[in-house]
C-alpha cells in the first residue's frame, strides 16, 4: 500500500511586496460611486440621516467638515426660504493618480489611490417664486482609501469651481379652476 502525505501550504505574507494595485477601471468605478453618494446625501434633511449617508462615502476629519458645510447651507436655506435640489452629477473626466499627489506626508501605502476629476453638478434653487437652474463644474484631487472594508474619500483638494450654465424661470402656477 502506498502512503500518501497531504501537504498543507501556508502562505506567509511577504513584507517586501506592496499592496495590490487598484486598476484604472476599478478606480473610475469606485470614485464615480463615491461622488454620486456624496451628492445623493443632499436629499436628506434629517441631520442624523444626512450624516449617516455621508459616512458611507467620506471618512475622518473630512466627514465632519463636509457635514458642517452642508448643514450651514441648509440653515441658510431655511432663513431665506431657498430650496436647493441636486439633479444630476456627471463626471466629465477623471484619472487615477499617485496617492502621494494628494497626501504628500502620508507614510506607507494604505492600499488606496489618488483620483483627479472634473465633474458637473446640475440642480435647481427655488426662491421667492422663481427657479434657478444651474450647472456648476468642479475639479479636485481626492484620496480614496479602504476603511473598515469599504472605499471612502479621506481627503480632497478643490482646484476649481465655476458656474457653466445658469437659467432663471418663474414658477408656473395654474390659475385655472375646474368647475
Amino acid at each position: 500500500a502506498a502512503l500518501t502525505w497531504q501537504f498543507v501550504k501556508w502562505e506567509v505574507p511577504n513584507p517586501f511586496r506592496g499592496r495590490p494595485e487598484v486598476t484604472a477601471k476599478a478606480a473610475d468605478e469606485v470614485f464615480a460611486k463615491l461622488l454620486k453618494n456624496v451628492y445623493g446625501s443632499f436629499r436628506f434633511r434629517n441631520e442624523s440621516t444626512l450624516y449617516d449617508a455621508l459616512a458611507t462615502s467620506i471618512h475622518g476629519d473630512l466627514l465632519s467638515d463636509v457635514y458642517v458645510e452642508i448643514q450651514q447651507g441648509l440653515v441658510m436655506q431655511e432663513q431665506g426660504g431657498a430650496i436647493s435640489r441636486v439633479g444630476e452629477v456627471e463626471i466629465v473626466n477623471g484619472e487615477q493618480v499617485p496617492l502621494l499627489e494628494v497626501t504628500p506626508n502620508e507614510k506607507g501605502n494604505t492600499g488606496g489611490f489618488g483620483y483627479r476629476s472634473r465633474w458637473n453638478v446640475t440642480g435647481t434653487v427655488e426662491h421667492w417664486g422663481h427657479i434657478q437652474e444651474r450647472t456648476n463644474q468642479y475639479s479636485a484631487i481626492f484620496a480614496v482609501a479602504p476603511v473598515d472594508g469599504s472605499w471612502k474619500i479621506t481627503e480632497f483638494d478643490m482646484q476649481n469651481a465655476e458656474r457653466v450654465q445658469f437659467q432663471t424661470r418663474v414658477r408656473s402656477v395654474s390659475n385655472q379652476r375646474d368647475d
Side-chain angles (χ1 to χ4, degrees):
L3 275 177
T4 59
W5 291 87
Q6 289 186 327
F7 291 96
V8 177
K9 182 179 178 184
W10 294 94
E11 188 170 327
V12 178
N14 181 344
F16 301 106
R17 181 175 44 187
R19 295 182 184 251
E21 291 291 319
V22 176
T23 66
K25 181 179 178 183
D28 291 344
E29 291 171 1
V30 166
F31 179 76
K33 183 176 180 182
L34 291 173
L35 188 66
K36 289 182 182 189
N37 284 348
V38 168
Y39 282 99
S41 69
F42 281 82
R43 71 182 179 271
F44 301 112
R45 300 294 184 220
N46 174 283
E47 289 184 29
S48 177
T49 307
L50 175 89
Y51 190 86
D52 291 345
L54 282 173
T56 64
S57 300
I58 300 176
H59 181 70
D61 294 337
L62 183 58
L63 174 59
S64 51
D65 293 346
V66 170
Y67 173 76
V68 167
E69 187 174 317
I70 291 173
Q71 280 304 103
Q72 288 173 343
L74 293 176
V75 168
M76 289 177 12
Q77 289 172 16
E78 290 171 5
Q79 293 172 353
I83 301 169
S84 62
R85 290 185 173 80
V86 173
E88 182 181 356
V89 178
E90 173 197 18
I91 296 176
V92 176
N93 60 40
E95 66 178 334
Q96 184 179 5
V97 296
L99 189 57
L100 290 176
E101 283 190 34
V102 190
T103 57
N105 297 324
E106 182 73 31
K107 295 178 183 164
N109 183 351
T110 64
F113 59 93
Y115 199 86
R116 181 183 325 274
S117 182
R118 186 165 41 111
W119 69 100
N120 292 337
V121 179
T122 302
T124 59
V125 176
E126 196 169 335
H127 183 71
W128 297 105
H130 67 278
I131 300 172
Q132 299 173 344
E133 296 177 0
R134 302 176 180 177
T135 300
N136 293 337
Q137 187 170 88
Y138 302 94
S139 61
I141 187 167
F142 297 82
V144 178
V147 177
D148 299 327
S150 298
W151 289 109
K152 298 201 179 184
I153 297 170
T154 57
E155 292 186 47
F156 84 97
D157 178 25
M158 184 68 68
Q159 297 175 335
N160 190 37
E162 64 182 291
R163 183 166 297 146
V164 294
Q165 184 178 353
F166 181 81
Q167 179 182 357
T168 301
R169 60 184 164 90
V170 176
R171 184 182 325 151
S172 63
V173 178
S174 176
N175 292 327
Q176 299 176 355
R177 294 187 343 193
D178 292 334
D179 290 324

